[in-house]
Amino acid sequence: MNAEYINPFLESAKIVIEQVVQIRPATGQLGVKDVKFVENYIWIQIGLNGQLNGDIVLGLSEEVAIKMVSAMMGGFAISEMDEMGKSAISELGNMISGNASTMLFNQGVRVDITPPKVLHSAQSAGFEAKKALTIPLIMDGIGELDIQVLIAS
């Protein structure tokens, strides 16, 4: 697993979050950890095919997702992750993955991305526990979004 593959997703997430949430996230510590899908979390799964094969998984607590969606909607406070909220989080994943695939292409890495899947429970994710390269983005006043790279190339 190569750390350089996480950088386009990290940079893209920082740019997109700053644009749509109006907060410049700080970067946490890069590491390798066991992927554990816990409840009350929102997972955005983006598949990679081509020179890289695997998944990028963006994980955030439901509380953080609600705060991000509220910020994306111009401060209109939402209280639960309804269909509109899931759609907004899915679009966030779409914007991040689209920008990241362009960055990878510019680095000479040819990869196709799947549309993001928003998963609201560990069981629906269908993932087995495995190791991932992970880095958290820390958003002041909102919380953390965890970027996890599961590449089987």
PDB file of all heavy atoms in Angstrom, residues 97-135:
ATOM      1  N   SER A  97     -14.135  12.520  -4.598  1.00  0.00           N
ATOM      2  CA  SER A  97     -13.574  11.476  -5.450  1.00  0.00           C
ATOM      3  C   SER A  97     -13.321  11.971  -6.873  1.00  0.00           C
ATOM      4  O   SER A  97     -12.326  11.587  -7.494  1.00  0.00           O
ATOM      5  CB  SER A  97     -14.463  10.234  -5.449  1.00  0.00           C
ATOM      6  OG  SER A  97     -15.746  10.530  -5.915  1.00  0.00           O
ATOM      7  N   GLY A  98     -14.180  12.823  -7.380  1.00  0.00           N
ATOM      8  CA  GLY A  98     -13.975  13.381  -8.721  1.00  0.00           C
ATOM      9  C   GLY A  98     -12.702  14.202  -8.803  1.00  0.00           C
ATOM     10  O   GLY A  98     -11.896  14.037  -9.733  1.00  0.00           O
ATOM     11  N   ASN A  99     -12.502  15.083  -7.826  1.00  0.00           N
ATOM     12  CA  ASN A  99     -11.270  15.884  -7.789  1.00  0.00           C
ATOM     13  C   ASN A  99     -10.047  14.996  -7.626  1.00  0.00           C
ATOM     14  O   ASN A  99      -9.017  15.220  -8.264  1.00  0.00           O
ATOM     15  CB  ASN A  99     -11.310  16.898  -6.635  1.00  0.00           C
ATOM     16  CG  ASN A  99     -12.204  18.081  -6.923  1.00  0.00           C
ATOM     17  OD1 ASN A  99     -12.655  18.288  -8.033  1.00  0.00           O
ATOM     18  ND2 ASN A  99     -12.466  18.862  -5.897  1.00  0.00           N
ATOM     19  N   ALA A 100     -10.150  13.983  -6.756  1.00  0.00           N
ATOM     20  CA  ALA A 100      -9.011  13.095  -6.505  1.00  0.00           C
ATOM     21  C   ALA A 100      -8.651  12.292  -7.754  1.00  0.00           C
ATOM     22  O   ALA A 100      -7.472  12.096  -8.049  1.00  0.00           O
ATOM     23  CB  ALA A 100      -9.314  12.160  -5.336  1.00  0.00           C
ATOM     24  N   SER A 101      -9.654  11.843  -8.507  1.00  0.00           N
ATOM     25  CA  SER A 101      -9.349  11.068  -9.717  1.00  0.00           C
ATOM     26  C   SER A 101      -8.652  11.941 -10.754  1.00  0.00           C
ATOM     27  O   SER A 101      -7.763  11.472 -11.470  1.00  0.00           O
ATOM     28  CB  SER A 101     -10.599  10.411 -10.294  1.00  0.00           C
ATOM     29  OG  SER A 101     -11.480  11.361 -10.815  1.00  0.00           O
ATOM     30  N   THR A 102      -9.014  13.218 -10.817  1.00  0.00           N
ATOM     31  CA  THR A 102      -8.320  14.150 -11.710  1.00  0.00           C
ATOM     32  C   THR A 102      -6.873  14.316 -11.271  1.00  0.00           C
ATOM     33  O   THR A 102      -5.951  14.316 -12.106  1.00  0.00           O
ATOM     34  CB  THR A 102      -9.043  15.513 -11.735  1.00  0.00           C
ATOM     35  OG1 THR A 102     -10.373  15.313 -12.202  1.00  0.00           O
ATOM     36  CG2 THR A 102      -8.323  16.505 -12.626  1.00  0.00           C
ATOM     37  N   MET A 103      -6.649  14.446  -9.962  1.00  0.00           N
ATOM     38  CA  MET A 103      -5.281  14.574  -9.446  1.00  0.00           C
ATOM     39  C   MET A 103      -4.455  13.318  -9.754  1.00  0.00           C
ATOM     40  O   MET A 103      -3.293  13.412 -10.152  1.00  0.00           O
ATOM     41  CB  MET A 103      -5.291  14.828  -7.937  1.00  0.00           C
ATOM     42  CG  MET A 103      -5.827  16.184  -7.547  1.00  0.00           C
ATOM     43  SD  MET A 103      -5.907  16.313  -5.729  1.00  0.00           S
ATOM     44  CE  MET A 103      -6.744  17.870  -5.538  1.00  0.00           C
ATOM     45  N   LEU A 104      -5.069  12.135  -9.578  1.00  0.00           N
ATOM     46  CA  LEU A 104      -4.374  10.883  -9.896  1.00  0.00           C
ATOM     47  C   LEU A 104      -4.034  10.824 -11.384  1.00  0.00           C
ATOM     48  O   LEU A 104      -2.920  10.453 -11.764  1.00  0.00           O
ATOM     49  CB  LEU A 104      -5.228   9.676  -9.493  1.00  0.00           C
ATOM     50  CG  LEU A 104      -5.279   9.370  -8.006  1.00  0.00           C
ATOM     51  CD1 LEU A 104      -6.424   8.413  -7.689  1.00  0.00           C
ATOM     52  CD2 LEU A 104      -3.958   8.812  -7.507  1.00  0.00           C
ATOM     53  N   PHE A 105      -4.981  11.203 -12.237  1.00  0.00           N
ATOM     54  CA  PHE A 105      -4.758  11.224 -13.679  1.00  0.00           C
ATOM     55  C   PHE A 105      -3.567  12.122 -14.019  1.00  0.00           C
ATOM     56  O   PHE A 105      -2.719  11.765 -14.827  1.00  0.00           O
ATOM     57  CB  PHE A 105      -6.022  11.699 -14.405  1.00  0.00           C
ATOM     58  CG  PHE A 105      -5.862  11.766 -15.898  1.00  0.00           C
ATOM     59  CD1 PHE A 105      -6.029  10.624 -16.675  1.00  0.00           C
ATOM     60  CD2 PHE A 105      -5.547  12.958 -16.526  1.00  0.00           C
ATOM     61  CE1 PHE A 105      -5.880  10.686 -18.058  1.00  0.00           C
ATOM     62  CE2 PHE A 105      -5.387  13.022 -17.896  1.00  0.00           C
ATOM     63  CZ  PHE A 105      -5.556  11.882 -18.675  1.00  0.00           C
ATOM     64  N   ASN A 106      -3.503  13.288 -13.371  1.00  0.00           N
ATOM     65  CA  ASN A 106      -2.402  14.226 -13.609  1.00  0.00           C
ATOM     66  C   ASN A 106      -1.060  13.686 -13.127  1.00  0.00           C
ATOM     67  O   ASN A 106      -0.015  14.159 -13.554  1.00  0.00           O
ATOM     68  CB  ASN A 106      -2.695  15.590 -12.975  1.00  0.00           C
ATOM     69  CG  ASN A 106      -3.819  16.313 -13.695  1.00  0.00           C
ATOM     70  OD1 ASN A 106      -4.101  16.061 -14.865  1.00  0.00           O
ATOM     71  ND2 ASN A 106      -4.495  17.204 -12.984  1.00  0.00           N
ATOM     72  N   GLN A 107      -1.096  12.692 -12.223  1.00  0.00           N
ATOM     73  CA  GLN A 107       0.128  12.029 -11.756  1.00  0.00           C
ATOM     74  C   GLN A 107       0.461  10.815 -12.626  1.00  0.00           C
ATOM     75  O   GLN A 107       1.411  10.083 -12.338  1.00  0.00           O
ATOM     76  CB  GLN A 107      -0.033  11.554 -10.302  1.00  0.00           C
ATOM     77  CG  GLN A 107      -0.161  12.664  -9.294  1.00  0.00           C
ATOM     78  CD  GLN A 107      -0.467  12.141  -7.889  1.00  0.00           C
ATOM     79  OE1 GLN A 107      -0.510  10.948  -7.630  1.00  0.00           O
ATOM     80  NE2 GLN A 107      -0.689  13.064  -6.972  1.00  0.00           N
ATOM     81  N   GLY A 108      -0.347  10.568 -13.663  1.00  0.00           N
ATOM     82  CA  GLY A 108      -0.105   9.439 -14.544  1.00  0.00           C
ATOM     83  C   GLY A 108      -0.751   8.146 -14.094  1.00  0.00           C
ATOM     84  O   GLY A 108      -0.450   7.085 -14.638  1.00  0.00           O
ATOM     85  N   VAL A 109      -1.647   8.215 -13.099  1.00  0.00           N
ATOM     86  CA  VAL A 109      -2.336   7.019 -12.607  1.00  0.00           C
ATOM     87  C   VAL A 109      -3.725   6.985 -13.232  1.00  0.00           C
ATOM     88  O   VAL A 109      -4.533   7.888 -13.018  1.00  0.00           O
ATOM     89  CB  VAL A 109      -2.439   7.024 -11.063  1.00  0.00           C
ATOM     90  CG1 VAL A 109      -3.188   5.793 -10.568  1.00  0.00           C
ATOM     91  CG2 VAL A 109      -1.061   7.118 -10.424  1.00  0.00           C
ATOM     92  N   ARG A 110      -3.985   5.962 -14.021  1.00  0.00           N
ATOM     93  CA  ARG A 110      -5.283   5.822 -14.680  1.00  0.00           C
ATOM     94  C   ARG A 110      -6.200   5.005 -13.779  1.00  0.00           C
ATOM     95  O   ARG A 110      -5.918   3.857 -13.469  1.00  0.00           O
ATOM     96  CB  ARG A 110      -5.139   5.118 -16.031  1.00  0.00           C
ATOM     97  CG  ARG A 110      -4.150   5.774 -16.987  1.00  0.00           C
ATOM     98  CD  ARG A 110      -4.626   7.156 -17.424  1.00  0.00           C
ATOM     99  NE  ARG A 110      -3.710   7.783 -18.370  1.00  0.00           N
ATOM    100  CZ  ARG A 110      -2.809   8.697 -18.043  1.00  0.00           C
ATOM    101  NH1 ARG A 110      -2.672   9.091 -16.808  1.00  0.00           N
ATOM    102  NH2 ARG A 110      -2.042   9.247 -18.956  1.00  0.00           N
ATOM    103  N   VAL A 111      -7.290   5.617 -13.372  1.00  0.00           N
ATOM    104  CA  VAL A 111      -8.216   4.939 -12.469  1.00  0.00           C
ATOM    105  C   VAL A 111      -9.639   5.420 -12.747  1.00  0.00           C
ATOM    106  O   VAL A 111      -9.860   6.591 -13.046  1.00  0.00           O
ATOM    107  CB  VAL A 111      -7.818   5.175 -10.984  1.00  0.00           C
ATOM    108  CG1 VAL A 111      -7.965   6.628 -10.603  1.00  0.00           C
ATOM    109  CG2 VAL A 111      -8.584   4.294 -10.047  1.00  0.00           C
ATOM    110  N   ASP A 112     -10.568   4.492 -12.707  1.00  0.00           N
ATOM    111  CA  ASP A 112     -11.987   4.829 -12.786  1.00  0.00           C
ATOM    112  C   ASP A 112     -12.554   4.734 -11.378  1.00  0.00           C
ATOM    113  O   ASP A 112     -12.167   3.862 -10.606  1.00  0.00           O
ATOM    114  CB  ASP A 112     -12.743   3.838 -13.689  1.00  0.00           C
ATOM    115  CG  ASP A 112     -12.379   4.013 -15.151  1.00  0.00           C
ATOM    116  OD1 ASP A 112     -12.223   5.164 -15.596  1.00  0.00           O
ATOM    117  OD2 ASP A 112     -12.241   2.987 -15.842  1.00  0.00           O
ATOM    118  N   ILE A 113     -13.464   5.642 -11.067  1.00  0.00           N
ATOM    119  CA  ILE A 113     -14.089   5.615  -9.747  1.00  0.00           C
ATOM    120  C   ILE A 113     -15.563   5.285  -9.898  1.00  0.00           C
ATOM    121  O   ILE A 113     -16.190   5.633 -10.893  1.00  0.00           O
ATOM    122  CB  ILE A 113     -13.909   6.953  -8.995  1.00  0.00           C
ATOM    123  CG1 ILE A 113     -14.487   8.123  -9.802  1.00  0.00           C
ATOM    124  CG2 ILE A 113     -12.458   7.194  -8.655  1.00  0.00           C
ATOM    125  CD1 ILE A 113     -14.575   9.412  -9.039  1.00  0.00           C
ATOM    126  N   THR A 114     -16.092   4.588  -8.908  1.00  0.00           N
ATOM    127  CA  THR A 114     -17.514   4.281  -8.908  1.00  0.00           C
ATOM    128  C   THR A 114     -18.254   5.427  -8.222  1.00  0.00           C
ATOM    129  O   THR A 114     -17.658   6.161  -7.428  1.00  0.00           O
ATOM    130  CB  THR A 114     -17.793   2.971  -8.143  1.00  0.00           C
ATOM    131  OG1 THR A 114     -17.427   3.147  -6.773  1.00  0.00           O
ATOM    132  CG2 THR A 114     -17.035   1.803  -8.747  1.00  0.00           C
ATOM    133  N   PRO A 115     -19.526   5.592  -8.516  1.00  0.00           N
ATOM    134  CA  PRO A 115     -20.293   6.597  -7.760  1.00  0.00           C
ATOM    135  C   PRO A 115     -20.256   6.233  -6.268  1.00  0.00           C
ATOM    136  O   PRO A 115     -20.250   5.055  -5.918  1.00  0.00           O
ATOM    137  CB  PRO A 115     -21.710   6.460  -8.314  1.00  0.00           C
ATOM    138  CG  PRO A 115     -21.542   5.822  -9.656  1.00  0.00           C
ATOM    139  CD  PRO A 115     -20.333   4.939  -9.539  1.00  0.00           C
ATOM    140  N   PRO A 116     -20.219   7.235  -5.404  1.00  0.00           N
ATOM    141  CA  PRO A 116     -20.155   6.949  -3.967  1.00  0.00           C
ATOM    142  C   PRO A 116     -21.410   6.232  -3.478  1.00  0.00           C
ATOM    143  O   PRO A 116     -22.509   6.515  -3.942  1.00  0.00           O
ATOM    144  CB  PRO A 116     -20.053   8.324  -3.312  1.00  0.00           C
ATOM    145  CG  PRO A 116     -19.922   9.311  -4.392  1.00  0.00           C
ATOM    146  CD  PRO A 116     -20.216   8.655  -5.691  1.00  0.00           C
ATOM    147  N   LYS A 117     -21.201   5.298  -2.567  1.00  0.00           N
ATOM    148  CA  LYS A 117     -22.306   4.616  -1.888  1.00  0.00           C
ATOM    149  C   LYS A 117     -22.314   5.107  -0.456  1.00  0.00           C
ATOM    150  O   LYS A 117     -21.295   5.051   0.224  1.00  0.00           O
ATOM    151  CB  LYS A 117     -22.090   3.097  -1.869  1.00  0.00           C
ATOM    152  CG  LYS A 117     -22.481   2.399  -3.129  1.00  0.00           C
ATOM    153  CD  LYS A 117     -22.629   0.911  -2.871  1.00  0.00           C
ATOM    154  CE  LYS A 117     -21.359   0.201  -3.267  1.00  0.00           C
ATOM    155  NZ  LYS A 117     -21.395  -1.234  -3.051  1.00  0.00           N
ATOM    156  N   VAL A 118     -23.444   5.628  -0.013  1.00  0.00           N
ATOM    157  CA  VAL A 118     -23.566   6.060   1.373  1.00  0.00           C
ATOM    158  C   VAL A 118     -24.152   4.898   2.163  1.00  0.00           C
ATOM    159  O   VAL A 118     -25.228   4.401   1.851  1.00  0.00           O
ATOM    160  CB  VAL A 118     -24.451   7.321   1.510  1.00  0.00           C
ATOM    161  CG1 VAL A 118     -24.646   7.691   2.965  1.00  0.00           C
ATOM    162  CG2 VAL A 118     -23.836   8.477   0.742  1.00  0.00           C
ATOM    163  N   LEU A 119     -23.401   4.463   3.165  1.00  0.00           N
ATOM    164  CA  LEU A 119     -23.794   3.321   3.981  1.00  0.00           C
ATOM    165  C   LEU A 119     -24.028   3.817   5.396  1.00  0.00           C
ATOM    166  O   LEU A 119     -23.196   4.524   5.956  1.00  0.00           O
ATOM    167  CB  LEU A 119     -22.695   2.261   3.946  1.00  0.00           C
ATOM    168  CG  LEU A 119     -22.237   1.875   2.537  1.00  0.00           C
ATOM    169  CD1 LEU A 119     -20.926   1.130   2.580  1.00  0.00           C
ATOM    170  CD2 LEU A 119     -23.303   1.067   1.836  1.00  0.00           C
ATOM    171  N   HIS A 120     -25.172   3.430   5.939  1.00  0.00           N
ATOM    172  CA  HIS A 120     -25.547   3.956   7.249  1.00  0.00           C
ATOM    173  C   HIS A 120     -25.348   2.950   8.370  1.00  0.00           C
ATOM    174  O   HIS A 120     -25.610   3.237   9.522  1.00  0.00           O
ATOM    175  CB  HIS A 120     -27.011   4.422   7.211  1.00  0.00           C
ATOM    176  CG  HIS A 120     -27.289   5.558   8.145  1.00  0.00           C
ATOM    177  ND1 HIS A 120     -28.075   6.599   7.804  1.00  0.00           N
ATOM    178  CD2 HIS A 120     -26.892   5.827   9.406  1.00  0.00           C
ATOM    179  CE1 HIS A 120     -28.160   7.455   8.813  1.00  0.00           C
ATOM    180  NE2 HIS A 120     -27.446   7.000   9.790  1.00  0.00           N
ATOM    181  N   SER A 121     -24.892   1.750   8.035  1.00  0.00           N
ATOM    182  CA  SER A 121     -24.633   0.780   9.092  1.00  0.00           C
ATOM    183  C   SER A 121     -23.481  -0.115   8.701  1.00  0.00           C
ATOM    184  O   SER A 121     -23.177  -0.272   7.522  1.00  0.00           O
ATOM    185  CB  SER A 121     -25.878  -0.067   9.379  1.00  0.00           C
ATOM    186  OG  SER A 121     -26.058  -1.021   8.362  1.00  0.00           O
ATOM    187  N   ALA A 122     -22.844  -0.690   9.685  1.00  0.00           N
ATOM    188  CA  ALA A 122     -21.703  -1.562   9.458  1.00  0.00           C
ATOM    189  C   ALA A 122     -22.110  -2.777   8.637  1.00  0.00           C
ATOM    190  O   ALA A 122     -21.395  -3.210   7.750  1.00  0.00           O
ATOM    191  CB  ALA A 122     -21.111  -1.996  10.794  1.00  0.00           C
ATOM    192  N   GLN A 123     -23.288  -3.315   8.911  1.00  0.00           N
ATOM    193  CA  GLN A 123     -23.716  -4.509   8.192  1.00  0.00           C
ATOM    194  C   GLN A 123     -23.929  -4.225   6.708  1.00  0.00           C
ATOM    195  O   GLN A 123     -23.560  -5.029   5.868  1.00  0.00           O
ATOM    196  CB  GLN A 123     -25.015  -5.077   8.787  1.00  0.00           C
ATOM    197  CG  GLN A 123     -24.793  -5.899  10.044  1.00  0.00           C
ATOM    198  CD  GLN A 123     -24.439  -5.049  11.257  1.00  0.00           C
ATOM    199  OE1 GLN A 123     -24.852  -3.909  11.363  1.00  0.00           O
ATOM    200  NE2 GLN A 123     -23.658  -5.608  12.161  1.00  0.00           N
ATOM    201  N   SER A 124     -24.499  -3.076   6.377  1.00  0.00           N
ATOM    202  CA  SER A 124     -24.773  -2.788   4.974  1.00  0.00           C
ATOM    203  C   SER A 124     -23.490  -2.547   4.193  1.00  0.00           C
ATOM    204  O   SER A 124     -23.473  -2.666   2.979  1.00  0.00           O
ATOM    205  CB  SER A 124     -25.715  -1.590   4.838  1.00  0.00           C
ATOM    206  OG  SER A 124     -25.086  -0.398   5.243  1.00  0.00           O
ATOM    207  N   ALA A 125     -22.420  -2.214   4.898  1.00  0.00           N
ATOM    208  CA  ALA A 125     -21.151  -1.978   4.214  1.00  0.00           C
ATOM    209  C   ALA A 125     -20.623  -3.257   3.582  1.00  0.00           C
ATOM    210  O   ALA A 125     -19.994  -3.221   2.533  1.00  0.00           O
ATOM    211  CB  ALA A 125     -20.120  -1.401   5.183  1.00  0.00           C
ATOM    212  N   GLY A 126     -20.879  -4.401   4.232  1.00  0.00           N
ATOM    213  CA  GLY A 126     -20.427  -5.661   3.685  1.00  0.00           C
ATOM    214  C   GLY A 126     -18.922  -5.828   3.709  1.00  0.00           C
ATOM    215  O   GLY A 126     -18.368  -6.635   2.985  1.00  0.00           O
ATOM    216  N   PHE A 127     -18.237  -5.050   4.523  1.00  0.00           N
ATOM    217  CA  PHE A 127     -16.785  -5.139   4.617  1.00  0.00           C
ATOM    218  C   PHE A 127     -16.391  -6.103   5.717  1.00  0.00           C
ATOM    219  O   PHE A 127     -17.025  -6.170   6.752  1.00  0.00           O
ATOM    220  CB  PHE A 127     -16.174  -3.778   4.980  1.00  0.00           C
ATOM    221  CG  PHE A 127     -16.119  -2.814   3.835  1.00  0.00           C
ATOM    222  CD1 PHE A 127     -16.891  -1.672   3.857  1.00  0.00           C
ATOM    223  CD2 PHE A 127     -15.291  -3.034   2.764  1.00  0.00           C
ATOM    224  CE1 PHE A 127     -16.846  -0.764   2.811  1.00  0.00           C
ATOM    225  CE2 PHE A 127     -15.232  -2.134   1.717  1.00  0.00           C
ATOM    226  CZ  PHE A 127     -16.002  -1.002   1.740  1.00  0.00           C
ATOM    227  N   GLU A 128     -15.305  -6.794   5.480  1.00  0.00           N
ATOM    228  CA  GLU A 128     -14.690  -7.565   6.551  1.00  0.00           C
ATOM    229  C   GLU A 128     -13.628  -6.659   7.155  1.00  0.00           C
ATOM    230  O   GLU A 128     -13.086  -5.788   6.482  1.00  0.00           O
ATOM    231  CB  GLU A 128     -14.030  -8.817   5.987  1.00  0.00           C
ATOM    232  CG  GLU A 128     -15.021  -9.779   5.357  1.00  0.00           C
ATOM    233  CD  GLU A 128     -14.314 -10.955   4.690  1.00  0.00           C
ATOM    234  OE1 GLU A 128     -13.150 -11.224   5.025  1.00  0.00           O
ATOM    235  OE2 GLU A 128     -14.944 -11.574   3.843  1.00  0.00           O
ATOM    236  N   ALA A 129     -13.326  -6.885   8.415  1.00  0.00           N
ATOM    237  CA  ALA A 129     -12.283  -6.080   9.052  1.00  0.00           C
ATOM    238  C   ALA A 129     -10.967  -6.299   8.317  1.00  0.00           C
ATOM    239  O   ALA A 129     -10.597  -7.423   8.008  1.00  0.00           O
ATOM    240  CB  ALA A 129     -12.146  -6.460  10.515  1.00  0.00           C
ATOM    241  N   LYS A 130     -10.299  -5.214   7.976  1.00  0.00           N
ATOM    242  CA  LYS A 130      -8.991  -5.291   7.342  1.00  0.00           C
ATOM    243  C   LYS A 130      -8.224  -4.035   7.676  1.00  0.00           C
ATOM    244  O   LYS A 130      -8.750  -3.115   8.280  1.00  0.00           O
ATOM    245  CB  LYS A 130      -9.106  -5.511   5.840  1.00  0.00           C
ATOM    246  CG  LYS A 130     -10.018  -4.552   5.100  1.00  0.00           C
ATOM    247  CD  LYS A 130     -10.020  -4.902   3.626  1.00  0.00           C
ATOM    248  CE  LYS A 130     -11.409  -4.890   3.063  1.00  0.00           C
ATOM    249  NZ  LYS A 130     -11.490  -5.181   1.669  1.00  0.00           N
ATOM    250  N   LYS A 131      -6.975  -4.024   7.290  1.00  0.00           N
ATOM    251  CA  LYS A 131      -6.132  -2.869   7.576  1.00  0.00           C
ATOM    252  C   LYS A 131      -6.287  -1.826   6.474  1.00  0.00           C
ATOM    253  O   LYS A 131      -6.483  -2.151   5.315  1.00  0.00           O
ATOM    254  CB  LYS A 131      -4.676  -3.298   7.686  1.00  0.00           C
ATOM    255  CG  LYS A 131      -4.427  -4.236   8.841  1.00  0.00           C
ATOM    256  CD  LYS A 131      -3.159  -3.854   9.564  1.00  0.00           C
ATOM    257  CE  LYS A 131      -2.876  -4.784  10.700  1.00  0.00           C
ATOM    258  NZ  LYS A 131      -3.563  -4.480  11.910  1.00  0.00           N
ATOM    259  N   ALA A 132      -6.197  -0.562   6.871  1.00  0.00           N
ATOM    260  CA  ALA A 132      -6.297   0.530   5.910  1.00  0.00           C
ATOM    261  C   ALA A 132      -5.293   1.612   6.276  1.00  0.00           C
ATOM    262  O   ALA A 132      -4.983   1.818   7.448  1.00  0.00           O
ATOM    263  CB  ALA A 132      -7.701   1.123   5.909  1.00  0.00           C
ATOM    264  N   LEU A 133      -4.823   2.288   5.257  1.00  0.00           N
ATOM    265  CA  LEU A 133      -4.053   3.496   5.455  1.00  0.00           C
ATOM    266  C   LEU A 133      -5.086   4.561   5.783  1.00  0.00           C
ATOM    267  O   LEU A 133      -6.079   4.703   5.065  1.00  0.00           O
ATOM    268  CB  LEU A 133      -3.311   3.832   4.168  1.00  0.00           C
ATOM    269  CG  LEU A 133      -2.249   4.901   4.209  1.00  0.00           C
ATOM    270  CD1 LEU A 133      -1.151   4.522   5.203  1.00  0.00           C
ATOM    271  CD2 LEU A 133      -1.648   5.089   2.828  1.00  0.00           C
ATOM    272  N   THR A 134      -4.892   5.284   6.867  1.00  0.00           N
ATOM    273  CA  THR A 134      -5.938   6.198   7.304  1.00  0.00           C
ATOM    274  C   THR A 134      -5.356   7.532   7.764  1.00  0.00           C
ATOM    275  O   THR A 134      -4.241   7.597   8.268  1.00  0.00           O
ATOM    276  CB  THR A 134      -6.778   5.553   8.437  1.00  0.00           C
ATOM    277  OG1 THR A 134      -7.844   6.423   8.783  1.00  0.00           O
ATOM    278  CG2 THR A 134      -5.939   5.275   9.667  1.00  0.00           C
ATOM    279  N   ILE A 135      -6.123   8.564   7.534  1.00  0.00           N
ATOM    280  CA  ILE A 135      -5.738   9.894   8.005  1.00  0.00           C
ATOM    281  C   ILE A 135      -7.017  10.672   8.341  1.00  0.00           C
ATOM    282  O   ILE A 135      -7.959  10.694   7.549  1.00  0.00           O
ATOM    283  CB  ILE A 135      -4.875  10.642   6.968  1.00  0.00           C
ATOM    284  CG1 ILE A 135      -4.271  11.895   7.570  1.00  0.00           C
ATOM    285  CG2 ILE A 135      -5.634  10.943   5.708  1.00  0.00           C
ATOM    286  CD1 ILE A 135      -3.065  12.395   6.843  1.00  0.00           C
TER     287      ILE A 135
END
